Amino acid sequence: MDEVATAIADPVRRRILTLLRDEPLAAGDIAQRFTISRPAISRHLRVLRESGLVRDELVGRQRIYRLDPGPLAPLVGWLAGLTGTDRWARHLDALETEVYRTRRERRSRAPAAHRREDTA
């Protein structure tokens, strides 16, 4: 998990992952989308490959990179625990229950109010 967190800490690597989310790309195509040098992009791709976030395949003379989001799962799980999504789910469930209870009370009071208007 630490290796993945280190890999995604860099904004260039996060942008590369975003590019690869949409489609596999050759290293040259990735490099063209940045203002930094091709060797710098190669180093970023190596970090991503070593962390398991990207897979590469040699096709002819091009190296094609693909996103592999699998190694993100432990990090995502850990982050979800920090954000307290379960706590929010409980609060939202309680709010939903209160909304339904209030609606039910209003409906049960509504006929009584109509009856009073009819006798007046």
Side-chain angles (χ1 to χ4, degrees), residues 9-97:
D10 187 277
V12 171
R13 291 193 285 266
R14 288 194 306 267
R15 185 162 168 226
I16 290 171
L17 292 173
T18 302
L19 292 170
L20 294 175
R21 176 191 59 199
D22 299 329
E23 61 181 326
L25 292 169
D29 294 334
I30 294 169
Q32 287 177 351
R33 299 174 190 218
F34 292 89
T35 57
I36 60 177
S37 69
R38 283 182 181 245
I41 291 296
S42 292
R43 286 190 295 275
H44 285 297
L45 288 168
R46 186 185 77 239
V47 170
L48 291 170
R49 191 175 56 245
E50 289 173 355
S51 70
L53 290 169
V54 299
R55 303 272 180 233
D56 65 323
E57 175 186 3
L58 195 57
V59 178
R61 293 178 42 186
Q62 290 188 320
R63 189 163 298 276
I64 306 297
Y65 287 87
R66 286 174 169 59
L67 175 66
D68 182 357
L72 288 170
L75 184 59
V76 168
W78 182 77
L79 289 170
L82 284 180
T83 59
T85 54
D86 291 339
R87 183 174 55 112
W88 277 107
R90 286 193 307 270
H91 286 298
L92 292 172
D93 287 345
L95 177 61
E96 182 180 27
T97 300

XYZ file of all heavy atoms in Angstrom, residues 9-97:
709
model
N 1.436 9.934 -5.261
C 1.679 11.221 -4.605
C 2.120 12.295 -5.590
O 1.911 13.482 -5.348
C 2.736 11.055 -3.513
N 2.683 11.889 -6.703
C 3.186 12.850 -7.684
C 2.086 13.243 -8.670
O 1.423 12.369 -9.229
C 4.361 12.224 -8.444
C 5.020 13.230 -9.361
O 4.505 13.414 -10.493
O 6.031 13.825 -8.958
N 1.878 14.546 -8.909
C 0.803 14.980 -9.816
C 0.989 14.505 -11.264
O 0.012 14.243 -11.956
C 0.815 16.500 -9.731
C 2.068 16.872 -9.030
C 2.566 15.676 -8.285
N 2.223 14.376 -11.720
C 2.450 13.887 -13.087
C 1.980 12.433 -13.189
O 1.301 12.055 -14.147
C 3.939 14.017 -13.494
C 4.205 13.307 -14.812
C 4.336 15.486 -13.577
N 2.310 11.629 -12.197
C 1.894 10.227 -12.229
C 0.374 10.096 -12.117
O -0.228 9.244 -12.766
C 2.611 9.439 -11.143
C 4.098 9.308 -11.452
C 4.773 8.297 -10.575
N 4.999 8.732 -9.221
C 6.124 9.288 -8.770
N 7.141 9.481 -9.586
N 6.242 9.632 -7.510
N -0.237 10.954 -11.320
C -1.714 10.919 -11.241
C -2.315 11.264 -12.592
O -3.303 10.651 -13.021
C -2.216 11.876 -10.151
C -1.938 11.392 -8.750
C -2.728 12.157 -7.706
N -2.550 13.592 -7.775
C -1.645 14.285 -7.081
N -0.820 13.674 -6.262
N -1.572 15.596 -7.193
N -1.737 12.220 -13.285
C -2.257 12.589 -14.614
C -2.057 11.451 -15.610
O -2.927 11.179 -16.443
C -1.591 13.868 -15.108
C -2.189 14.346 -16.401
C -1.875 15.793 -16.680
N -2.238 16.075 -18.062
C -1.471 16.727 -18.915
N -0.308 17.202 -18.523
N -1.862 16.922 -20.151
N -0.929 10.761 -15.526
C -0.694 9.609 -16.397
C -1.755 8.542 -16.134
O -2.326 7.975 -17.070
C 0.726 9.034 -16.191
C 1.775 10.005 -16.731
C 0.860 7.669 -16.871
C 3.214 9.638 -16.379
N -2.043 8.278 -14.869
C -3.081 7.291 -14.538
C -4.440 7.707 -15.101
O -5.188 6.869 -15.609
C -3.178 7.094 -13.021
C -1.974 6.422 -12.369
C -2.110 6.446 -10.853
C -1.790 5.014 -12.889
N -4.740 8.979 -15.031
C -6.003 9.480 -15.577
C -6.051 9.268 -17.091
O -7.084 8.867 -17.633
C -6.195 10.968 -15.232
O -6.169 11.118 -13.812
C -7.513 11.488 -15.766
N -4.942 9.524 -17.756
C -4.888 9.298 -19.208
C -5.110 7.823 -19.537
O -5.839 7.482 -20.470
C -3.541 9.743 -19.774
C -3.231 11.238 -19.781
C -1.777 11.478 -20.155
C -4.168 11.965 -20.730
N -4.485 6.958 -18.760
C -4.584 5.524 -19.022
C -5.936 4.942 -18.610
O -6.283 3.846 -19.026
C -3.443 4.779 -18.323
C -2.048 5.099 -18.863
C -0.985 4.412 -18.017
C -1.929 4.714 -20.327
N -6.668 5.671 -17.806
C -8.009 5.217 -17.421
C -8.901 5.108 -18.650
O -9.709 4.193 -18.778
C -8.621 6.206 -16.417
C -10.054 5.877 -16.034
C -10.698 6.995 -15.261
N -10.685 8.214 -16.082
C -10.836 9.431 -15.595
N -10.991 9.620 -14.306
N -10.840 10.474 -16.392
N -8.724 6.025 -19.585
C -9.582 6.079 -20.762
C -9.167 5.114 -21.862
O -10.008 4.607 -22.582
C -9.624 7.513 -21.310
C -10.193 8.488 -20.294
O -11.050 8.080 -19.483
O -9.779 9.661 -20.302
N -7.839 4.890 -21.997
C -7.358 4.022 -23.076
C -5.897 3.680 -22.852
O -5.163 4.456 -22.243
C -7.505 4.711 -24.430
C -6.696 5.998 -24.540
C -6.854 6.696 -25.872
O -7.013 5.997 -26.886
O -6.807 7.925 -25.887
N -5.464 2.528 -23.355
C -4.033 2.212 -23.322
C -3.293 3.166 -24.253
O -3.814 3.560 -25.298
C -3.961 0.780 -23.852
C -5.351 0.254 -23.816
C -6.264 1.423 -23.879
N -2.094 3.550 -23.859
C -1.314 4.494 -24.669
C 0.136 4.058 -24.764
O 0.686 3.472 -23.821
C -1.357 5.898 -24.047
C -2.686 6.639 -24.060
C -2.610 7.873 -23.187
C -3.066 7.008 -25.486
N 0.744 4.402 -25.883
C 2.180 4.195 -26.050
C 2.926 5.225 -25.223
O 2.421 6.328 -24.959
C 2.554 4.334 -27.524
N 4.134 4.871 -24.811
C 4.937 5.786 -24.003
C 5.122 7.128 -24.705
O 5.037 8.183 -24.076
C 6.282 5.145 -23.689
N 5.348 7.099 -26.013
C 5.522 8.339 -26.774
C 4.278 9.205 -26.761
O 4.362 10.437 -26.665
N 3.114 8.568 -26.863
C 1.856 9.323 -26.817
C 1.657 9.977 -25.447
O 1.144 11.097 -25.355
C 0.672 8.410 -27.130
C 0.696 7.903 -28.558
O 1.288 8.585 -29.421
O 0.119 6.823 -28.802
N 2.050 9.265 -24.408
C 1.947 9.839 -23.057
C 2.889 11.031 -22.948
O 2.498 12.106 -22.479
C 2.278 8.771 -21.989
C 1.219 7.667 -21.997
C 2.392 9.409 -20.611
C 1.570 6.435 -21.184
N 4.126 10.868 -23.405
C 5.132 11.932 -23.295
C 4.720 13.193 -24.036
O 5.003 14.305 -23.585
C 6.477 11.420 -23.820
N 4.020 13.029 -25.174
C 3.604 14.205 -25.955
C 2.623 15.091 -25.199
O 2.477 16.265 -25.516
C 2.963 13.748 -27.264
C 3.938 13.206 -28.268
C 3.242 12.711 -29.524
O 2.023 12.624 -29.591
N 4.043 12.383 -30.536
N 1.957 14.553 -24.214
C 0.934 15.322 -23.478
C 1.520 16.108 -22.306
O 0.769 16.724 -21.556
C -0.153 14.378 -23.004
C -0.836 13.697 -24.186
C -1.805 12.663 -23.743
N -2.243 11.883 -24.898
C -3.475 11.455 -25.064
N -4.388 11.722 -24.178
N -3.777 10.755 -26.128
N 2.834 16.054 -22.152
C 3.501 16.740 -21.044
C 4.600 17.647 -21.576
O 5.137 17.429 -22.662
C 4.120 15.712 -20.079
C 3.097 14.905 -19.328
C 2.617 13.714 -19.865
C 2.612 15.329 -18.103
C 1.675 12.958 -19.191
C 1.669 14.579 -17.422
C 1.198 13.397 -17.961
N 4.950 18.640 -20.790
C 6.029 19.548 -21.172
C 7.365 19.080 -20.615
O 8.389 19.683 -20.928
C 5.731 20.976 -20.666
O 5.561 20.943 -19.257
C 4.503 21.550 -21.339
N 7.377 18.031 -19.819
C 8.642 17.525 -19.285
C 9.276 16.560 -20.286
O 8.620 16.116 -21.229
C 8.449 16.859 -17.895
C 7.485 15.675 -17.972
C 7.963 17.877 -16.888
C 7.312 14.935 -16.658
N 10.521 16.224 -20.072
C 11.279 15.409 -21.034
C 10.774 13.962 -21.081
O 10.166 13.466 -20.138
C 12.758 15.415 -20.654
O 12.949 14.697 -19.448
N 11.065 13.308 -22.202
C 10.702 11.888 -22.346
C 11.388 11.022 -21.288
O 10.758 10.121 -20.750
C 11.033 11.398 -23.744
C 10.014 11.873 -24.756
C 10.340 11.339 -26.139
N 9.362 11.834 -27.081
C 8.505 11.060 -27.731
N 8.539 9.768 -27.553
N 7.634 11.580 -28.560
N 12.675 11.256 -20.974
C 13.284 10.451 -19.908
C 12.574 10.621 -18.561
O 12.451 9.662 -17.803
C 14.731 10.958 -19.844
C 14.995 11.489 -21.223
C 13.670 12.075 -21.669
N 12.090 11.830 -18.291
C 11.347 12.051 -17.037
C 10.043 11.258 -17.053
O 9.673 10.640 -16.043
C 11.074 13.542 -16.837
N 9.360 11.242 -18.187
C 8.126 10.458 -18.311
C 8.440 8.974 -18.140
O 7.709 8.246 -17.465
C 7.426 10.727 -19.664
C 6.867 12.152 -19.708
C 6.321 9.714 -19.920
C 5.773 12.444 -18.703
N 9.547 8.530 -18.716
C 9.958 7.128 -18.570
C 10.177 6.769 -17.102
O 9.795 5.690 -16.657
C 11.235 6.849 -19.364
O 10.969 6.929 -20.734
N 10.773 7.669 -16.351
C 10.978 7.413 -14.912
C 9.643 7.322 -14.185
O 9.448 6.455 -13.326
C 11.874 8.493 -14.303
C 13.340 8.337 -14.707
C 14.257 9.254 -13.910
N 14.026 10.675 -14.157
C 14.575 11.357 -15.163
N 15.389 10.769 -16.019
N 14.323 12.645 -15.303
N 8.710 8.214 -14.529
C 7.381 8.162 -13.906
C 6.681 6.848 -14.261
O 6.053 6.218 -13.397
C 6.529 9.354 -14.360
C 6.919 10.646 -13.716
N 6.826 10.869 -12.362
C 7.389 11.808 -14.256
C 7.224 12.095 -12.082
N 7.572 12.690 -13.222
N 6.786 6.444 -15.506
C 6.162 5.181 -15.922
C 6.795 3.990 -15.208
O 6.101 3.038 -14.845
C 6.247 5.012 -17.444
C 5.327 5.929 -18.249
C 5.693 5.902 -19.732
C 3.862 5.548 -18.042
N 8.095 4.058 -14.984
C 8.767 2.971 -14.254
C 8.231 2.874 -12.827
O 7.938 1.778 -12.333
C 10.285 3.177 -14.244
C 11.023 1.980 -13.619
C 12.512 2.205 -13.490
N 12.745 3.096 -12.346
C 13.363 4.278 -12.414
N 13.842 4.722 -13.559
N 13.528 5.013 -11.348
N 8.059 4.009 -12.154
C 7.511 4.015 -10.789
C 6.110 3.416 -10.792
O 5.776 2.588 -9.936
C 7.507 5.446 -10.196
C 6.725 5.504 -8.903
C 8.932 5.938 -9.987
N 5.293 3.817 -11.755
C 3.925 3.295 -11.837
C 3.933 1.791 -12.133
O 3.125 1.035 -11.575
C 3.132 4.055 -12.906
C 2.821 5.510 -12.573
C 2.246 6.220 -13.788
C 1.875 5.600 -11.378
N 4.839 1.362 -12.973
C 4.935 -0.061 -13.313
C 5.400 -0.864 -12.093
O 4.833 -1.907 -11.770
C 5.896 -0.244 -14.484
C 5.882 -1.630 -15.085
C 6.749 -1.754 -16.324
N 8.126 -1.361 -16.071
C 8.742 -0.310 -16.625
N 8.115 0.457 -17.487
N 9.991 -0.022 -16.335
N 6.395 -0.372 -11.383
C 6.914 -1.072 -10.209
C 5.898 -1.142 -9.073
O 5.921 -2.078 -8.286
C 8.206 -0.418 -9.731
C 9.370 -0.662 -10.678
C 10.631 0.106 -10.312
O 10.586 0.911 -9.357
O 11.643 -0.102 -10.988
N 4.998 -0.175 -9.002
C 3.950 -0.191 -7.979
C 2.783 -1.088 -8.390
O 1.896 -1.349 -7.595
C 3.437 1.227 -7.707
O 2.691 1.705 -8.817
N 2.780 -1.523 -9.648
C 1.711 -2.389 -10.143
C 0.514 -1.648 -10.701
O -0.468 -2.267 -11.108
N 0.582 -0.323 -10.730
C -0.560 0.463 -11.202
C -0.703 0.478 -12.717
O -1.777 0.778 -13.231
C -0.474 1.897 -10.676
C -0.715 2.024 -9.169
C -0.349 3.421 -8.682
C -2.152 1.694 -8.830
N 0.382 0.205 -13.423
C 0.308 0.095 -14.881
C 1.017 -1.186 -15.316
O 1.933 -1.665 -14.651
C 0.903 1.320 -15.626
C 0.178 2.595 -15.279
C 2.385 1.456 -15.392
N 0.555 -1.708 -16.418
C 1.176 -2.867 -17.073
C 1.652 -2.390 -18.435
O 1.026 -1.524 -19.055
C 0.163 -3.989 -17.255
C -0.484 -4.450 -15.982
C 0.329 -5.529 -15.333
N -0.337 -5.954 -14.110
C 0.277 -5.989 -12.946
N 1.524 -5.641 -12.849
N -0.361 -6.401 -11.878
N 2.748 -2.953 -18.881
C 3.236 -2.568 -20.195
C 3.392 -3.802 -21.071
O 3.543 -4.916 -20.586
C 4.550 -1.797 -20.099
C 5.676 -2.649 -19.550
O 5.423 -3.471 -18.657
O 6.819 -2.499 -20.022
N 3.298 -3.544 -22.369
C 3.395 -4.612 -23.360
C 4.143 -4.047 -24.559
O 3.855 -2.937 -25.009
C 1.976 -5.045 -23.764
C 1.917 -6.053 -24.867
C 0.470 -6.320 -25.306
O -0.460 -5.675 -24.794
O 0.315 -7.166 -26.189
N 5.082 -4.819 -25.052
C 5.836 -4.396 -26.224
C 5.058 -4.824 -27.465
O 4.781 -5.995 -27.675
C 7.227 -5.030 -26.221
C 8.245 -4.426 -27.159
C 8.434 -2.933 -26.872
C 9.562 -5.156 -27.041
N 4.640 -3.833 -28.262
C 3.909 -4.087 -29.499
C 4.730 -3.460 -30.621
O 4.759 -2.237 -30.771
C 2.484 -3.486 -29.451
C 1.768 -3.713 -30.772
C 1.691 -4.050 -28.285
N 5.399 -4.324 -31.385
C 6.300 -3.801 -32.402
C 7.436 -3.068 -31.728
O 8.128 -3.614 -30.876
N 7.592 -1.803 -32.073
C 8.644 -0.988 -31.454
C 8.097 -0.092 -30.354
O 8.837 0.703 -29.787
C 9.313 -0.150 -32.534
C 10.098 -1.025 -33.518
C 10.724 -0.240 -34.617
N 11.318 1.016 -34.140
C 11.821 1.930 -34.932
N 11.797 1.766 -36.222
N 12.339 3.030 -34.439
N 6.807 -0.199 -30.072
C 6.198 0.670 -29.055
C 5.914 -0.115 -27.782
O 5.534 -1.281 -27.819
C 4.886 1.257 -29.567
C 5.053 2.270 -30.662
C 3.727 2.935 -30.965
O 2.686 2.292 -30.981
N 3.770 4.235 -31.210
N 6.061 0.571 -26.676
C 5.681 0.010 -25.385
C 4.327 0.616 -25.034
O 4.199 1.828 -24.908
C 6.722 0.339 -24.330
C 6.469 -0.397 -23.034
C 7.685 -0.391 -22.150
N 8.854 -1.068 -22.730
C 9.077 -2.378 -22.677
N 8.190 -3.166 -22.099
N 10.162 -2.882 -23.196
N 3.300 -0.235 -24.924
C 1.935 0.211 -24.636
C 1.663 0.023 -23.143
O 1.913 -1.051 -22.588
C 0.896 -0.593 -25.462
C 1.231 -0.537 -26.964
C -0.516 -0.099 -25.185
C 1.186 0.848 -27.567
N 1.129 1.079 -22.523
C 0.838 1.052 -21.090
C -0.670 0.995 -20.872
O -1.435 1.664 -21.559
C 1.427 2.286 -20.410
C 2.922 2.216 -20.304
C 3.728 2.661 -21.338
C 3.521 1.675 -19.180
C 5.106 2.579 -21.257
C 4.899 1.587 -19.088
C 5.685 2.032 -20.127
O 7.037 1.935 -20.043
N -1.057 0.190 -19.879
C -2.468 0.036 -19.491
C -2.587 0.224 -17.986
O -1.721 -0.223 -17.234
C -2.978 -1.363 -19.828
C -3.223 -1.628 -21.262
C -3.600 -3.104 -21.490
N -4.098 -3.405 -22.813
C -3.461 -3.208 -23.949
N -2.288 -2.673 -23.949
N -3.999 -3.542 -25.106
N -3.663 0.841 -17.572
C -3.939 1.014 -16.148
C -4.346 -0.315 -15.536
O -5.117 -1.083 -16.122
C -5.087 2.031 -15.973
C -5.592 2.242 -14.546
C -4.511 2.871 -13.685
C -6.829 3.121 -14.565
N -3.831 -0.594 -14.344
C -4.275 -1.737 -13.539
C -4.685 -1.182 -12.182
O -3.841 -0.956 -11.312
C -3.157 -2.764 -13.388
C -3.604 -3.978 -12.586
O -4.754 -4.001 -12.098
O -2.802 -4.908 -12.439
N -5.976 -0.931 -11.967
C -6.418 -0.302 -10.723
C -6.421 -1.239 -9.510
O -6.634 -0.800 -8.390
C -7.837 0.165 -11.048
C -8.299 -0.771 -12.117
C -7.079 -1.139 -12.904
N -6.159 -2.515 -9.724
C -6.188 -3.482 -8.626
C -5.385 -3.084 -7.399
O -5.889 -3.179 -6.269
N -4.137 -2.647 -7.546
C -3.346 -2.278 -6.371
C -3.892 -1.086 -5.582
O -3.451 -0.830 -4.464
C -1.970 -1.940 -6.959
C -1.905 -2.718 -8.226
C -3.312 -2.696 -8.753
N -4.854 -0.366 -6.141
C -5.452 0.766 -5.416
C -6.439 0.304 -4.342
O -6.730 1.045 -3.405
C -6.178 1.700 -6.384
C -5.300 2.540 -7.299
C -6.140 3.230 -8.361
C -4.501 3.554 -6.496
N -6.959 -0.926 -4.463
C -8.025 -1.403 -3.565
C -7.655 -1.297 -2.085
O -8.463 -0.776 -1.292
C -8.437 -2.814 -3.948
N -6.477 -1.767 -1.643
C -6.168 -1.632 -0.213
C -6.118 -0.179 0.243
O -6.570 0.151 1.337
C -4.787 -2.293 -0.078
C -4.660 -3.178 -1.261
C -5.456 -2.525 -2.352
N -5.585 0.702 -0.609
C -5.502 2.119 -0.253
C -6.900 2.736 -0.178
O -7.208 3.498 0.736
C -4.629 2.863 -1.263
C -4.368 4.335 -0.996
C -3.690 4.541 0.351
C -3.520 4.930 -2.112
N -7.739 2.394 -1.135
C -9.112 2.909 -1.139
C -9.848 2.442 0.121
O -10.559 3.217 0.768
C -9.862 2.468 -2.419
C -11.349 2.742 -2.319
C -9.270 3.166 -3.632
N -9.667 1.172 0.477
C -10.301 0.653 1.693
C -9.826 1.370 2.936
O -10.620 1.715 3.817
N -8.535 1.618 3.010
C -7.981 2.319 4.162
C -8.522 3.751 4.233
O -8.910 4.227 5.290
C -6.453 2.320 4.073
C -5.793 2.975 5.236
C -5.614 2.467 6.492
C -5.232 4.287 5.258
N -4.976 3.382 7.276
C -4.719 4.512 6.548
C -5.103 5.285 4.297
C -4.100 5.694 6.907
C -4.484 6.466 4.658
C -3.988 6.663 5.950
N -8.559 4.433 3.090
C -9.089 5.799 3.051
C -10.562 5.840 3.430
O -11.013 6.754 4.120
C -8.885 6.410 1.659
C -7.454 6.763 1.287
C -7.361 7.120 -0.187
C -6.932 7.885 2.157
N -11.325 4.848 2.974
C -12.754 4.804 3.311
C -12.938 4.694 4.819
O -13.850 5.303 5.382
C -13.425 3.630 2.599
N -12.058 3.947 5.474
C -12.128 3.847 6.930
C -11.851 5.175 7.615
O -12.412 5.469 8.670
N -11.002 5.984 7.023
C -10.698 7.298 7.602
C -11.834 8.289 7.421
O -12.047 9.151 8.262
C -9.453 7.889 6.944
C -8.112 7.332 7.358
C -7.003 8.047 6.607
C -7.895 7.468 8.840
N -12.519 8.186 6.309
C -13.559 9.164 6.023
C -14.842 8.881 6.779
O -15.737 9.712 6.780
C -13.864 9.236 4.512
O -14.286 7.945 4.072
C -12.651 9.681 3.729
N -14.927 7.727 7.394
C -16.112 7.419 8.200
C -17.366 7.248 7.372
O -18.430 7.701 7.775
N -17.264 6.610 6.224
C -18.446 6.440 5.381
C -19.528 5.653 6.103
O -20.701 5.915 5.909
C -18.092 5.745 4.052
O -17.404 4.527 4.343
C -17.219 6.627 3.182
N -19.135 4.705 6.963
C -20.138 3.956 7.718
C -20.894 4.878 8.675
O -22.101 4.766 8.837
C -19.485 2.823 8.512
C -18.962 1.727 7.612
O -19.438 1.630 6.473
O -18.076 0.974 8.059
N -20.164 5.786 9.291
C -20.796 6.728 10.218
C -21.810 7.595 9.463
O -22.922 7.818 9.925
C -19.724 7.602 10.864
C -20.263 8.559 11.903
C -19.107 9.263 12.582
N -18.260 9.920 11.611
C -18.159 11.247 11.506
N -18.834 12.030 12.295
N -17.365 11.778 10.600
N -21.426 8.080 8.276
C -22.346 8.897 7.492
C -23.549 8.087 7.044
O -24.670 8.597 7.016
C -21.626 9.504 6.287
C -20.884 10.745 6.672
C -19.548 10.894 6.799
C -21.455 12.006 7.033
N -19.249 12.166 7.202
C -20.398 12.870 7.346
C -22.766 12.480 7.113
C -20.598 14.185 7.742
C -22.970 13.806 7.497
C -21.897 14.627 7.807
N -23.325 6.841 6.684
C -24.442 5.991 6.269
C -25.446 5.854 7.408
O -26.658 5.923 7.185
C -23.936 4.623 5.823
N -24.957 5.685 8.624
C -25.872 5.582 9.782
C -26.643 6.882 9.983
O -27.839 6.869 10.248
C -25.089 5.224 11.041
C -24.627 3.786 11.075
C -24.134 3.385 12.456
N -23.116 4.266 12.994
C -21.805 4.118 12.818
N -21.360 3.118 12.106
N -20.958 4.955 13.353
N -25.952 8.011 9.857
C -26.626 9.310 10.019
C -27.687 9.512 8.936
O -28.787 9.999 9.225
C -25.619 10.465 9.968
C -24.780 10.591 11.188
N -25.294 10.851 12.435
C -23.433 10.477 11.359
C -24.330 10.906 13.328
N -23.186 10.670 12.693
N -27.365 9.143 7.714
C -28.334 9.296 6.626
C -29.523 8.354 6.809
O -30.663 8.732 6.523
C -27.663 9.075 5.272
C -26.654 10.162 4.882
C -25.904 9.760 3.623
C -27.336 11.502 4.700
N -29.269 7.147 7.288
C -30.367 6.219 7.576
C -31.279 6.789 8.661
O -32.504 6.699 8.560
C -29.833 4.857 8.014
C -29.247 4.059 6.868
O -29.504 4.429 5.697
O -28.527 3.080 7.145
N -30.687 7.374 9.699
C -31.479 7.975 10.767
C -32.297 9.154 10.242
O -33.468 9.324 10.606
C -30.566 8.433 11.911
N -31.707 9.955 9.368
C -32.433 11.076 8.772
C -33.601 10.576 7.934
O -34.710 11.124 8.008
C -31.484 11.916 7.913
C -32.118 13.089 7.164
C -32.734 14.087 8.124
C -31.069 13.762 6.285
N -33.366 9.536 7.145
C -34.435 8.972 6.321
C -35.586 8.471 7.198
O -36.757 8.714 6.907
C -33.886 7.829 5.468
C -34.922 7.224 4.545
C -34.337 6.089 3.719
O -33.373 5.430 4.160
O -34.856 5.881 2.610
N -35.252 7.811 8.296
C -36.273 7.323 9.224
C -37.084 8.483 9.790
O -38.311 8.415 9.871
C -35.613 6.525 10.367
O -34.907 5.424 9.800
C -36.638 6.034 11.367
